[in-house]
């Protein structure tokens, strides 16, 4: 939609805006939206996690340098486009990769390097807590990291004063408030969907489990306060304003919404917070979420139970690996083209290669690939090795090569989703896709529809992703009417009935993907051998 330049400029000057900043795995993005929720300025910063002492991590300097660079680029975009120096914003929200482990002492010092969601080092803790709670506790959850540190007898545990996730840490530094949105509260510890809070029964079970350690804290003491979408989460302090905007132009006092995980912001960005809707976020990692009509019958280690930002129960299938290997191959083709003296537009290259995949054979020519840059809990791998394999008589051509790499990017996800759709008979009216996999129109969407045997919609706004989603949550907090629910606000005021472009599953694609999955399951022994022998 076209923007009214003068109205947008006036809105910026009056602070009738909302800002969302999301810290993703490879990019930090800021999106500023106007009164009609349309993005009016943005900025981004690329970053990479580090693998230090067998831990996937980012340093505090990585975090703050990235946020400041991202914010300053967004503010520069405002200045260049509208001629306005950004001094105030109507509301701000922060989002980030969920889960993980950031533990601080009473002086606010980080006790051990940030342990991200990507680590698969908490197996014993995850298994024990799942057994004690009778509730699936995945390895990446904060409580699994904490209990593993206790099992490992790590010295720092006794000194913990605050345990938090990445976006909760950023919010704390900017507002002084120890709070977290319910969606990522559910990524730290089991929640009670009736009280919209940490599950007190299981809090007590945990305290009892570690009572013999005689820590000076009880679990509740070191956790954030749980908030749902729309609740007040504090304001930007003077110190926080200086931390965020190095130019010093931004004034303090701006209201901030509850910080949320990227699962919750993905739901907001795709208008999938209502029952029987779902969304699939496909980038470096991939996850699918379905808002449930009722709780699941059984406990599955492959299925996480999280919530919408409003606190409704969501079944989530989370996989560590999605497009990293696919991107690596596309970069190899770029390198080849540049060596041949060609100028390469990456969007064009992705588009041509993705569309080529649609010409591939139904069986991908007999090719096989695994995109495991890191471990994959759904298929029981603690480490990964990107792998491509073929038979001497496989039909090895570009179309099949691209098709098998697109298929395998959803292989682990399909393994988990089959539990929901086939074993628990969960009903999904539509899935909404967002993230890098869907940037090339029609391709990732069609392949996902075939994999899930369900309609998949992609909206024009899906490319904005979680940064736009957290901006919407910030806007909801500031602009909602008394009693207005989040799903009503999104449906009526943001999306206005827009269902996006929908791809129905094609019978041939469904059959093709099912056949691929049989080969994928058999070939996991090859991946296992690669992990054992390539080290």
């Amino acid at each position: 939609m076209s923007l009214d330049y003068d109205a947008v400029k006036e809105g910026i000057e009056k602070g009738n805006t909302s800002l969302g900043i999301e810290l993703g795995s490879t990019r930090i993005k800021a999106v500023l939206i106007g009164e009609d929720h349309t993005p009016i300025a943005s900025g981004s910063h690329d970053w990479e996690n580090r693998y230090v002492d067998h831990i996937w991590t980012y340093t505090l300097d990585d975090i703050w340098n990235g946020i400041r660079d991202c914010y300053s680029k967004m503010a520069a975009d405002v200045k260049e486009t509208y001629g306005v120096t950004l001094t105030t914003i109507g509301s701000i929200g922060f989002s980030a990769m969920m889960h993980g482990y950031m533990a601080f002492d009473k002086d606010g010092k980080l006790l051990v390097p940030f342990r991200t969601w990507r680590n698969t080092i908490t197996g014993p803790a995850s298994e024990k807590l799942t057994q004690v709670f009778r509730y699936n506790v995945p390895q990446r959850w904060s409580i699994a990291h904490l209990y593993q540190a206790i099992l490992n007898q790590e010295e720092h545990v006794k000194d913990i004063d605050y345990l938090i996730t990445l976006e909760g840490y950023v919010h704390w530094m900017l507002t002084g408030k120890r709070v977290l949105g319910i969606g990522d509260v559910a990524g730290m510890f089991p929640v009670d969907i009736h009280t919209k809070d940490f599950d007190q029964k299981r809090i007590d079970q945990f305290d009892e489990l570690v009572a013999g350690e005689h820590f000076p804290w009880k679990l509740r003491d070191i956790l954030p306060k749980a908030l749902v979408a729309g609740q007040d989460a504090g304001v930007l302090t003077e110190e926080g304003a200086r931390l965020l905007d190095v130019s010093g132009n931004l004034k303090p006092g701006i209201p901030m919404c509850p910080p949320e995980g990227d699962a919750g912001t993905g739901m907001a960005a795709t208008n999938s917070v209502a029952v029987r809707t779902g969304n699939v976020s496909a980038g470096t990692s991939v996850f699918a979420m379905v808002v449930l009509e009722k709780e699941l019958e059984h406990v599955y280690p492959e299925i996480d139970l999280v919530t919408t930002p409003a606190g409704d129960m969501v079944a989530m299938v989370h996989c560590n690996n999605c497009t990293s290997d696919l991107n690596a191959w596309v970069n190899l083709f770029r390198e080849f083209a540049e060596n041949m003296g060609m100028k390469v537009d990456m969007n064009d290259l992705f588009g041509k290669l993705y569309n080529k995949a649609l010409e591939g054979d139904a069986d991908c020519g007999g090719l096989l690939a695994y995109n495991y840059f890191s471990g994959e809990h759904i298929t029981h791998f603690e480490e990964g090795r990107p792998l491509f394999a073929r038979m001497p008589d496989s039909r090895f051509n570009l179309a099949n090569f691209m098709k098998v790499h697109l298929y395998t990017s959803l292989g682990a996800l399909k393994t988990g989703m089959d539990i929901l759709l086939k074993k628990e008979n969960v009903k999904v009216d539509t899935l909404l896709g967002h993230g890098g996999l869907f940037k090339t129109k029609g391709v990732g969407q069609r392949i996902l529809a075939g994999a899930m045997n369900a309609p998949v919609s992609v909206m024009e706004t899906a490319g904005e992703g979680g940064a736009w989603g957290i901006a919407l949550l910030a806007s909801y907090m500031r602009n909602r009417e008394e009693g207005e629910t989040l799903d009503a606000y999104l449906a009526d005021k943001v999306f206005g009935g827009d269902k996006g472009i929908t791809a129905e599953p094609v019978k041939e694609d469904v059959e093709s993907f099912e056949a691929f999955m049989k080969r994928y399951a058999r070939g996991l022994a090859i991946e296992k051998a690669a992990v054992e022998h390539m080290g």
Side-chain angles (χ1 to χ4, degrees):
M1 83 187 266
S2 60
L3 295 173
D4 181 333
Y5 177 88
D6 291 331
V8 170
K9 181 178 177 180
E10 185 182 349
I12 294 168
E13 289 169 338
K14 289 184 174 177
N16 293 332
T17 53
S18 293
L19 172 66
I21 297 182
E22 181 160 281
L23 294 91
S25 304
T26 57
R27 188 168 66 146
I28 303 172
K29 183 167 184 182
V31 171
L32 186 70
I33 63 174
E35 290 177 90
D36 65 352
H37 308 100
T38 303
I40 52 178
S42 64
S44 66
H45 171 89
D46 292 332
W47 68 338
E48 283 292 343
N49 50 196
R50 306 157 184 258
Y51 194 56
V52 182
D53 297 329
H54 303 288
I55 301 282
W56 290 105
T57 188
Y58 302 84
T59 67
L60 294 185
D61 282 345
D62 291 339
I63 294 166
W64 288 108
N65 290 340
I67 289 171
R68 289 185 194 114
D69 183 47
C70 183
Y71 178 87
S72 68
K73 285 174 178 170
M74 181 278 301
D77 188 16
V78 170
K79 180 72 172 172
E80 186 180 331
T81 308
Y82 306 102
V84 178
T85 298
L86 200 58
T87 60
T88 190
I89 297 163
S91 54
I92 300 176
F94 272 85
S95 172
M97 303 165 277
M98 293 174 67
H99 322 290
Y101 185 79
M102 297 189 85
F104 297 86
D105 68 13
K106 60 179 174 24
D107 298 319
K109 179 190 167 198
L110 186 66
L111 291 166
V112 289
F114 170 32
R115 297 170 184 177
T116 78
W117 61 271
R118 195 171 190 175
N119 291 288
T120 48
I121 53 175
T122 64
S126 170
E127 285 178 31
K128 178 66 174 176
L129 292 175
T130 296
Q131 177 191 339
V132 170
F133 294 161
R134 295 187 180 179
Y135 193 102
N136 183 34
V137 177
Q139 286 205 41
R140 65 189 173 280
W141 280 22
S142 307
I143 194 62
H145 279 280
L146 174 62
Y147 190 51
Q148 191 64 51
I150 293 169
L151 293 178
N152 295 346
Q153 298 188 307
E154 294 187 40
E155 184 67 22
H156 78 273
V157 176
K158 68 180 188 318
D159 298 320
I160 297 175
D161 184 65
Y162 189 32
L163 178 62
I164 189 59
T165 62
L166 177 55
E167 78 276 12
Y169 158 70
V170 172
H171 186 94
W172 175 41
M173 291 291 99
L174 297 179
T175 65
K177 299 287 185 185
R178 294 184 171 198
V179 299
L180 189 63
I182 189 74
D184 205 10
V185 162
M188 295 187 78
F189 192 88
V191 297
D192 181 336
I193 57 169
H194 306 291
T195 62
K196 313 291 187 201
D197 197 0
F198 293 102
D199 186 315
Q200 187 58 48
K201 177 186 158 196
R202 293 181 171 108
I203 292 267
D204 295 340
Q205 287 175 328
F206 183 85
D207 284 335
E208 192 178 320
L209 182 64
V210 302
E213 303 289 341
H214 304 292
F215 294 124
W217 48 260
K218 290 277 196 252
L219 186 56
R220 270 275 180 188
D221 303 336
I222 62 172
L223 292 175
K225 181 183 179 185
L227 297 177
V228 298
Q231 286 187 297
D232 169 30
V235 299
L236 185 67
T237 61
E238 282 195 29
E239 186 182 0
R242 288 196 300 271
L243 204 51
L244 181 57
D245 180 15
V246 290
S247 74
N249 292 320
L250 189 65
K251 294 173 184 170
I254 297 168
M256 292 186 63
C257 74
E260 259 301 352
D262 50 6
T265 60
M267 290 183 225
T270 53
N271 191 23
S272 49
V273 298
V275 168
R276 285 177 65 133
T277 61
N279 81 90
V280 174
S281 171
T284 305
S285 63
V286 61
F287 54 76
M289 292 174 290
V290 179
V291 187
L292 300 176
E293 294 178 277
K294 59 185 179 68
E295 295 192 27
L296 299 180
E297 297 287 332
H298 304 285
V299 175
Y300 301 95
E302 300 90 349
I303 308 293
D304 299 4
L305 294 173
V306 295
T307 77
T308 68
D312 294 314
M313 187 59 77
V314 173
M316 176 177 177
V317 179
H318 184 287
C319 309
N320 288 348
N321 303 281
C322 186
T323 60
S324 292
D325 195 37
L326 194 53
N327 293 345
W329 284 109
V330 173
N331 277 317
L332 188 73
F333 291 126
R334 173 192 58 79
E335 197 179 329
F336 166 76
E338 287 174 351
N339 267 280
M340 294 295 289
M342 305 173 203
K343 280 189 177 177
V344 179
D345 177 289
M346 288 305 286
N347 287 332
D348 188 41
L349 182 60
F350 270 103
K352 282 188 166 58
L353 289 172
Y354 274 37
N355 276 291
K356 191 71 181 172
L358 298 181
E359 300 172 19
D361 298 323
D363 65 350
C364 302
L367 308 181
L368 184 60
Y370 294 94
N371 60 337
Y372 292 8
F373 262 62
S374 61
E376 195 58 80
H377 75 106
I378 281 182
T379 47
H380 313 294
F381 282 84
E382 290 193 7
E383 292 181 58
R385 301 289 184 272
L387 183 70
F388 171 67
R390 62 189 174 106
M391 296 287 287
D393 61 350
S394 296
R395 291 177 299 287
F396 184 41
N397 57 41
L398 185 59
N400 285 332
F401 183 82
M402 288 309 300
K403 187 167 189 171
V404 79
H405 279 92
L406 278 162
Y407 270 28
T408 203
S409 67
L410 299 173
L413 181 75
K414 167 77 168 164
T415 305
M417 282 295 285
D418 278 354
I419 295 169
L420 281 183
L421 302 177
K422 294 178 180 178
K423 288 188 180 177
E424 288 280 338
N425 294 310
V426 168
K427 298 291 182 280
V428 184
D429 293 333
T430 186
L431 286 167
L432 294 111
H434 59 111
L437 187 70
F438 304 106
K439 277 191 175 177
T440 298
K441 280 191 177 179
V443 181
Q445 183 180 7
R446 175 175 164 177
I447 286 171
L448 179 64
M452 300 297 138
N453 195 15
V456 175
S457 298
V458 174
M459 299 182 186
E460 289 296 320
T461 49
E464 299 296 345
W468 186 59
I470 188 66
L472 296 179
L473 293 175
S475 176
Y476 171 66
M477 180 195 70
R478 188 170 64 95
N479 297 316
R480 72 191 178 110
E481 294 169 21
E482 187 69 35
E484 187 173 26
T485 62
L486 177 61
D487 60 327
Y489 182 87
L490 291 174
D492 300 341
K493 294 183 176 168
V494 178
F495 294 94
D498 176 22
K499 303 285 189 210
I501 299 164
T502 301
E504 296 289 336
V506 177
K507 181 172 177 280
E508 291 78 10
D509 291 348
V510 175
E511 291 169 354
S512 170
F513 213 101
E514 291 290 348
F516 166 76
M517 287 306 296
K518 288 176 182 170
R519 194 159 70 253
Y520 181 93
R522 285 197 307 269
L524 287 170
I526 308 169
E527 175 69 17
K528 188 177 180 185
V531 171
E532 287 173 1
H533 299 292
M534 291 177 71

